[in-house]
Amino acid sequence: MHIGKTIFAQLMTFMPEYEFQKCVDYYKGDYRVRKLTCREHFLVMSFAQLTGRESLRDIENCLSVFSGKLYHSGISKPVSRSTLADANEKRDWRIYADFAQILIKQARPLYIDDNDFRVDLDNMVYAFDSTTIDLCLSLYPWAKFHHQKGAVKMHTLLDLRGSIPVFIDITEGSVHDVNSLDRLPVEPGSYYILDKGYIDFHRLYTLIHQSRAFFVTRAKDNMQYEVISSTDVDREAGLISDQLVKLTGYKSSKSYPEAFRLVIYEDYATGIVYTFMTNDFDLPALSIAELYRERWKVELFFKWIKQHLHIKAFYGTSQNAVACQIWIAICTYLLIAIAKKQLDLAISLYTFAQTLGLTLFEKTPIKELFNNNNLIKNLSDESQLSLWNS
């Protein structure tokens, strides 16, 4: 029997301690801290994420129940809810945001050769989108949205080859999606897949096109343009037209003065006709449609984050507490993704995360959990057994 580290402690060994401490030192996160250092704060909040704790009291009770196993999990002792609440209010959220960027740099090379990307393309391909996390405006008055509702938005740039977020910006819910393009890191030669909510011709032209990068997005129905030339297309593949066009609207033509490409495609499975606009003139028209189809991976990422990490309810009401919780949730996701690859586990990220959450205080080596017998033993009831087939 393995008598060493718990599953939770084994997972945290994938955490680059030196880099984390550099983030803490940069923001003086442990300056005059007597209880719950930034590292301990991260461990406790990550534990809460993995086990789905609902509140500070819930976290406190759970840690107390397992007090005899905390030392072997890297947590020195149970934490009171007042201490944790104080940490959420005072630990600078930028510590965990910067640490997430370090984990992103570590995770991306591990997924670079994933073969579930359907377009034959060597360039980097990203999808940029946002998800709204609803909040109660009376409890979170700083998180203004609309119609007396509160929310924050998580704007995410996702590397579509490995479903790894490479840029995340958290704003108030009232910030329009298109404004987040101003903070988007643009790499020359890369593709940026956007939905039509991000259409701002001036930003598309100055931020992406003039940076020698490519965009693929859906055109709005009221777009005014003239056709310069047309290319023959394979109608049996669902393509309707492939045209070179130029804007004719007074403002839009000044915002985007050059020609771009318009590809019209019909999805025969649903009968829906899509109009794609792009500044790439070389890719086959069908590849443009396939690139946009890959954008749905960012929707799946948001769905996974909301379902399996705890960001639907928050442990504090201040902007700092909410940001800390979201960034630690993202770091936890990245640590799981890194551990799965480095352990060379041929299972879904969903199954891996769920199993970790159910076995955090077991002292079995992580890899041994994922043979059929041990996994079925750990996931005993019917709902848990169904994870094996997910």
Side-chain angles (χ1 to χ4, degrees), residues 41 52 65 82-83 89 94 104 126-127 169 182 191 212 222 230 236 243 267 276 282 298 315 330 336 347 363 368:
H41 179 226
V65 168
S82 60
T83 300
E89 295 292 327
R94 292 175 297 178
I104 286 168
Y126 303 102
D169 187 29
D182 296 332
Y191 286 80
R212 301 192 306 277
N222 60 352
S230 296
E236 292 184 0
Q243 301 171 329
D267 184 349
F276 303 114
D282 298 323
V298 74
Y315 306 137
I330 293 165
I336 292 170
I347 54 173
K363 291 188 177 181
E368 289 187 13

Side-chain angles (χ1 to χ4, degrees), residues 7-280:
I7 295 293
F8 181 73
Q10 292 175 61
L11 177 63
M12 290 301 134
T13 61
F14 293 95
M15 176 181 171
E17 298 278 357
Y18 175 71
E19 297 294 338
F20 179 79
Q21 193 58 47
K22 282 172 61 177
C23 297
V24 174
D25 293 341
Y26 183 81
Y27 294 104
K28 299 181 180 180
D30 286 336
Y31 181 67
R32 290 188 175 181
V33 171
R34 295 183 179 181
K35 296 181 180 179
L36 205 67
T37 64
C38 289
R39 182 183 183 277
E40 292 171 331
H41 179 226
F42 179 88
L43 293 179
V44 171
M45 291 289 285
S46 185
F47 167 83
Q49 292 292 333
L50 289 166
T51 56
R53 299 303 95 197
E54 297 293 333
S55 64
L56 293 175
R57 184 183 296 275
D58 192 11
I59 298 172
E60 179 185 45
N61 292 340
C62 187
L63 292 175
S64 296
V65 168
F66 291 102
S67 58
K69 298 183 178 182
L70 293 182
Y71 178 79
H72 295 286
S73 299
I75 302 173
S76 58
K77 58 184 178 180
V79 180
S80 69
R81 61 182 182 275
S82 60
T83 300
L84 186 55
D86 186 61
N88 286 336
E89 295 292 327
K90 296 182 178 179
R91 303 293 182 273
D92 195 324
W93 63 268
R94 292 175 297 178
I95 295 170
Y96 309 113
D98 286 4
F99 185 53
Q101 296 304 316
I102 292 169
L103 294 177
I104 286 168
K105 290 180 182 178
Q106 186 176 339
R108 287 185 68 187
L110 299 175
Y111 286 84
I112 197 68
D113 293 325
D114 273 19
N115 56 7
D116 62 343
F117 191 70
R118 294 179 292 186
V119 183
D120 185 15
L121 191 65
D122 293 331
N123 308 58
M124 298 302 299
V125 183
Y126 303 102
F128 189 55
D129 207 347
S130 70
T131 187
T132 301
I133 303 168
D134 294 328
L135 299 172
C136 176
L137 193 59
S138 61
L139 294 176
Y140 305 86
W142 51 269
K144 296 179 181 179
F145 192 28
H146 61 79
H147 302 307
Q148 304 302 314
K149 293 182 180 180
V152 292
K153 279 186 178 179
M154 187 167 75
H155 308 270
T156 303
L157 183 67
L158 197 74
D159 183 347
L160 292 180
R161 281 194 167 83
S163 295
I164 298 296
V166 298
F167 169 79
I168 295 173
D169 187 29
I170 299 170
T171 67
E172 297 177 7
S174 59
V175 174
H176 195 283
D177 287 349
V178 76
N179 293 328
S180 61
L181 286 175
D182 296 332
R183 294 180 289 277
L184 184 68
V186 177
E187 302 171 1
S190 297
Y191 286 80
Y192 294 84
I193 317 302
L194 315 164
D195 70 15
K196 64 172 65 177
Y198 289 93
I199 291 183
D200 180 298
F201 289 113
H202 177 71
R203 287 181 169 94
L204 290 177
Y205 183 71
T206 58
L207 299 179
I208 299 180
H209 180 71
Q210 289 193 325
S211 297
R212 301 192 306 277
F214 304 104
F215 62 81
V216 176
T217 185
R218 290 180 62 188
K220 291 185 176 180
D221 296 335
N222 60 352
M223 186 176 70
Q224 298 177 349
Y225 63 92
E226 62 178 359
V227 178
I228 299 174
S229 63
S230 296
T231 303
D232 293 336
V233 295
D234 181 4
R235 292 186 173 272
E236 292 184 0
L239 293 167
I240 297 176
S241 66
D242 181 4
Q243 301 171 329
L244 189 66
V245 304
K246 196 168 184 179
L247 294 170
T248 58
Y250 177 75
K251 290 183 178 180
S252 61
S253 61
K254 292 181 180 297
S255 298
Y256 200 110
E258 296 185 24
F260 57 87
R261 190 176 174 192
L262 212 60
V263 175
I264 301 179
Y265 170 82
E266 181 179 1
D267 184 349
Y268 288 147
T270 61
I272 299 176
V273 176
Y274 298 93
T275 303
F276 303 114
M277 52 181 291
T278 180
N279 62 333
D280 181 281

